Amino acid sequence: MGRLPDITAGAELRGLRADVAAWLPVARDIVRHHGCEHPGLAPFAAGTNLVAGIGGELILKLFPPFHRRQFLSERSTLRVLAGRLKQVATPELLHEGDRDGWTYLIMTRLDGIPAAEVWPGLDERGKQSLLRDVGELIAEVQLVPPGELLAIGPRWSDFLRGQFAGCRARHQRLGLPEALLAGLDDLLRDAAALLPPDPRPVILTGEYIPENFLVSRHGDGWRISGLFDFGDVMAGFGEYDLLGPSAFMAAGHPGRVRALFDGYGFAPADVTWQLKRRLLALMLLHQASDPVRHICIPDWPSRVRNFDQLQALIWPD
């Protein structure tokens, strides 16, 4: 049945994922141990960790030792959200354990179609409808008390401090246009004044994007039916979770931006310059921030000369 190898970096993990014969026998032994054995154990080609489908009903996710925080985050979020959302399902956690220094979870597999397969083909009305759903889902998740997630950390204030410290170096490395780099220090000073230092902590996934939720047919449109992948969840300032759908889905379209904000619960009077400035600052401070590649507005770097123009481009009136 073999053993899982000792690895210490993402490149090794990607290599192992591709070498299915090196870990699938261990995966089979784990599911056999929990009475879930199925001849259709099928590895997923993508993902941060090692993932395999157990028939069509269950999922096994294996976390290497250096992703232990992701294991803790996923496990806690599955427990905290279990049965708490009205219209959207989350996986049910069935089993957990450790093997050869790795940790693992076995959970139910959700019904639905990956939103990433549906989103590109939607007309504008359908995209606005789905973005309103996204806003509503974010707001609903944030009503659920974070519970045990608060013990995992990081504290929001500590997270922000680290993001501020590494912000300039990160965006220099990722190729933020020079005109924007020149104004970055001023933007960060704005952020220090505009962002609440100790907000009420809410559940943040950081990734409300089409790759992380499922949809199903509802009348003549699509509705969100499932939410999954909680390895990067933390607790913090609620507006942070508007960034993914703003950059990847709303993409500067006024109707989509309004739909997202409406779903989240912002009245028109709430959508001020200060709100947009906070969102822009958070976008630069996000743990996965990469505006050049993640803002899905065609050729946006050639269309702006400063952060005021970028803010107006992403969140138009």
Side-chain angles (χ1 to χ4, degrees):
M1 59 186 169
R3 57 175 285 116
L4 293 168
D6 297 324
I7 61 173
T8 59
E12 293 177 287
L13 181 56
R14 290 189 291 273
L16 180 61
R17 184 187 303 113
D19 185 9
V20 174
W23 63 272
L24 202 58
V26 181
R28 288 197 180 97
D29 191 58
I30 289 170
V31 299
R32 186 183 304 117
H33 171 75
H34 289 285
C36 305
E37 187 173 15
H38 190 284
L41 194 67
F44 288 18
T48 304
N49 297 286
L50 303 183
V51 182
I54 308 170
E57 304 295 324
L58 304 177
I59 294 288
L60 168 68
K61 185 175 283 192
L62 290 152
F63 303 80
F66 62 90
H67 280 174
R68 178 166 178 78
R69 192 207 169 275
Q70 291 192 10
F71 163 78
L72 295 172
S73 171
E74 182 109 21
R75 181 184 66 176
S76 293
T77 306
L78 290 172
R79 296 197 294 216
V80 166
L81 290 181
R84 300 298 297 273
L85 305 180
K86 294 178 183 178
Q87 303 294 331
V88 175
T90 56
E92 179 185 356
L93 177 59
L94 301 177
H95 305 287
E96 62 178 275
D98 57 81
R99 178 72 174 263
D100 304 324
W102 292 54
T103 45
Y104 63 83
L105 301 170
I106 297 176
M107 64 194 82
T108 55
R109 188 169 189 166
L110 301 177
D111 294 328
I113 298 171
E117 296 180 11
V118 172
W119 176 258
L122 294 179
D123 61 17
E124 192 58 29
R125 181 181 175 185
K127 288 182 176 178
Q128 291 181 24
S129 176
L130 198 56
L131 268 164
R132 187 171 287 105
D133 274 5
V134 170
E136 291 175 356
L137 176 58
I138 295 171
E140 186 178 13
V141 169
Q142 292 183 357
L143 289 175
V144 178
E148 63 188 85
L149 283 164
L150 294 173
I152 297 174
R155 288 174 54 90
W156 176 253
S157 57
D158 294 336
F159 168 76
L160 269 191
R161 190 177 302 113
Q163 296 305 106
F164 270 104
C167 188
R168 172 167 287 279
R170 177 188 185 91
H171 291 298
Q172 284 179 322
R173 175 172 54 84
L174 292 174
L176 191 71
E178 287 295 328
L180 296 182
L181 280 173
L184 185 58
D185 290 343
D186 289 340
L187 178 71
L188 295 180
R189 277 192 291 271
D190 286 348
L194 288 170
L195 294 174
D198 190 25
R200 178 181 69 87
V202 299
I203 297 172
L204 303 175
T205 76
E207 294 184 328
Y208 284 95
I209 56 177
E211 287 74 14
N212 286 357
F213 58 87
L214 303 174
V215 295
S216 59
R217 276 284 186 185
H218 184 83
D220 61 350
W222 296 88
R223 300 295 304 269
I224 300 175
S225 58
L227 182 65
F228 62 96
D229 195 0
F230 302 121
D232 294 318
V233 170
M234 61 180 179
F237 183 41
E239 291 175 9
Y240 182 84
D241 264 352
L242 294 170
L243 305 178
S246 290
F248 286 93
M249 301 175 71
H253 292 258
R256 298 185 205 174
V257 172
R258 285 195 298 271
L260 174 64
F261 286 169
D262 287 348
Y264 188 66
F266 283 145
D270 297 324
V271 184
T272 61
W273 183 93
Q274 288 79 6
L275 167 67
K276 296 177 184 180
R277 201 59 155 192
R278 286 197 302 272
L279 292 175
L280 181 63
L282 287 169
M283 184 172 284
L284 274 292
L285 294 166
H286 194 284
Q287 62 182 345
S289 181
D290 188 354
V292 174
R293 295 161 185 82
H294 292 168
I295 297 175
C296 296
I297 299 174
D299 199 29
W300 74 259
S302 71
R303 300 167 61 183
V304 302
R305 297 185 303 276
N306 55 52
F307 281 118
D308 287 342
Q309 292 176 352
L310 179 58
Q311 177 176 310
L313 188 64
I314 301 172
W315 298 284
D317 294 328

